[in-house]
Amino acid sequence: MSAIDRVFAQLRREGRKTLIPFLSAGDPDLEFTTAVLRRLPEIGIPLCEVGIPYSDPIADGPVIQSSYTRVLERGITVRAIWEAVQTAVRQAPITPITMVSYAIVYRHGLERYVREAKQAGVAGLIVPDLPLEESPPLADVCRREDLSLIQLITPTTPKERAKRIAQHTTGFIYYVSVVGITGERQQLPPEVVDNVAWLRTQTDLPICIGFGISRPEHVRMLAPVADGLIVGSALVRRIADSQDQTRQTAIENVLNFLRQLAEPLEKAHPLSRRK
């Protein structure tokens, strides 16, 4: 079992589901990123996405784009991000996943990127601009290093293609709840529940839903069909808005937001599994 497999197996044994926060690595600085990562297990969150800043985001809305720009302007490197992640992993039982453009992976070299990620304690990769048909070389390297390669399925993905993606995914399936870019939404499309319920009949992999999740009512809506809910722009915006506060206050505000958002998960029904 991979590290991500073990996390979801433990969640199933406990009858729990989880939020998966997204952090832009290095925003506002790497010390802040490390501090939040190591505090997440205190509030029952075992997984976190760490966004590797990139100058040409694929599907990121303005909030995450702006955070990436701030980080790149300060010259933070991938090596420095690895060091920050490794520090957090050594200090707390957190399982990081990187959200990264394939351009960065390719520039580093597939084997080097995966090897360094694993050494830093990273458990999986999400590479949103890597099509299924072009993923085998990276999937092979990830398999050798026992890292998960998490693939995305969207509302416009044809069902036959969704089945193929599920067959070639490891760790969990990232289901994109809306068409378009990331960002906070007032409402999520009601059909996402039926779409994920259908997908669950096609795979035994955990299914985590992302894009637009920012309110407790979103969590209540999606908790019955999801294993995890990914929270990105809403969290990144709160971090950006907290820079006039003390470091400790900003971190506590992040944790309190996640606690409030996660509260409906405690009332969610047990996971429904394909027989």
Side-chain angles (χ1 to χ4, degrees):
M1 296 177 72
S2 71
I4 294 176
D5 294 335
R6 290 192 292 273
V7 168
F8 281 104
Q10 181 65 30
L11 288 169
R12 285 195 295 271
R13 285 193 295 270
E14 297 172 356
R16 292 202 301 124
K17 306 181 181 195
T18 187
L19 289 184
I20 304 176
F22 170 94
L23 299 173
S24 292
D27 189 40
D29 53 48
L30 285 171
E31 290 77 13
F32 187 93
T33 302
T34 300
V36 173
L37 280 171
R38 66 175 178 242
R39 294 286 305 277
L40 292 175
E42 295 178 17
I43 59 172
I45 293 178
L47 291 164
C48 184
E49 277 188 39
V50 178
I52 307 297
Y54 182 53
S55 58
D56 299 289
I58 308 307
D60 297 305
V63 171
I64 293 177
Q65 285 185 25
S66 296
S67 72
Y68 280 178
T69 298
R70 291 191 294 271
V71 175
L72 292 171
E73 287 174 347
R74 290 194 294 276
I76 293 175
T77 64
V78 174
R79 179 178 295 276
I81 293 171
W82 292 149
E83 292 173 356
V85 169
Q86 189 173 56
T87 297
V89 170
R90 286 173 174 171
Q91 295 175 350
I94 187 68
T95 302
I97 303 157
T98 61
M99 171 75 82
V100 58
S101 169
Y102 188 65
I104 294 176
V105 179
Y106 184 81
R107 188 172 69 241
H108 274 69
L110 276 60
E111 293 191 3
R112 177 188 167 198
Y113 185 93
V114 171
R115 182 179 66 253
E116 291 181 355
K118 183 176 181 179
Q119 290 171 349
V122 171
L125 313 182
I126 303 170
V127 190
D129 53 347
L130 180 63
L132 175 66
E133 292 77 11
E134 298 178 24
S135 65
L138 181 58
D140 289 343
V141 177
C142 287
R143 190 177 301 110
R144 290 199 299 271
E145 295 292 342
D146 200 24
L147 260 68
S148 298
L149 183 58
I150 297 150
Q151 310 249 19
L152 285 75
I153 294 175
T154 75
T156 59
T157 304
K159 287 189 174 181
E160 287 305 313
R161 182 173 179 80
K163 292 178 185 179
R164 293 199 303 274
I165 292 172
Q167 291 167 357
H168 291 86
T169 295
T170 53
F172 64 84
I173 293 170
Y174 189 132
Y175 187 83
V176 177
S177 66
V178 297
V179 176
I181 59 175
T182 63
E184 297 176 71
R185 303 294 203 280
Q186 295 290 325
Q187 294 181 321
L188 298 179
E191 59 268 23
V192 67
V193 173
D194 290 338
N195 291 345
V196 174
W198 171 83
L199 184 58
R200 192 171 290 288
T201 69
Q202 306 301 311
T203 181
D204 290 322
L205 282 170
I207 302 172
C208 300
I209 305 174
F211 281 46
I213 297 169
S214 59
R215 299 165 176 257
E217 53 264 37
H218 299 160
V219 176
R220 282 191 289 272
M221 171 186 173
L222 300 176
V225 294
D227 299 89
L229 298 175
I230 300 160
V231 184
S233 295
L235 182 58
V236 173
R237 178 178 63 79
R238 280 165 175 78
I239 291 172
D241 290 346
S242 67
Q243 295 317 297
D244 59 346
Q245 303 168 348
T246 67
R247 175 62 52 91
Q248 189 59 37
T249 298
I251 292 170
E252 294 301 330
N253 286 343
V254 165
L255 297 177
N256 286 335
F257 169 67
L258 292 172
R259 283 190 189 97
Q260 293 167 8
L261 205 57
E263 187 175 350
L265 286 177
E266 299 174 5
K267 303 172 184 177
H269 298 295
L271 300 181
S272 172
R273 288 288 168 190
R274 180 161 62 100
K275 302 301 183 184

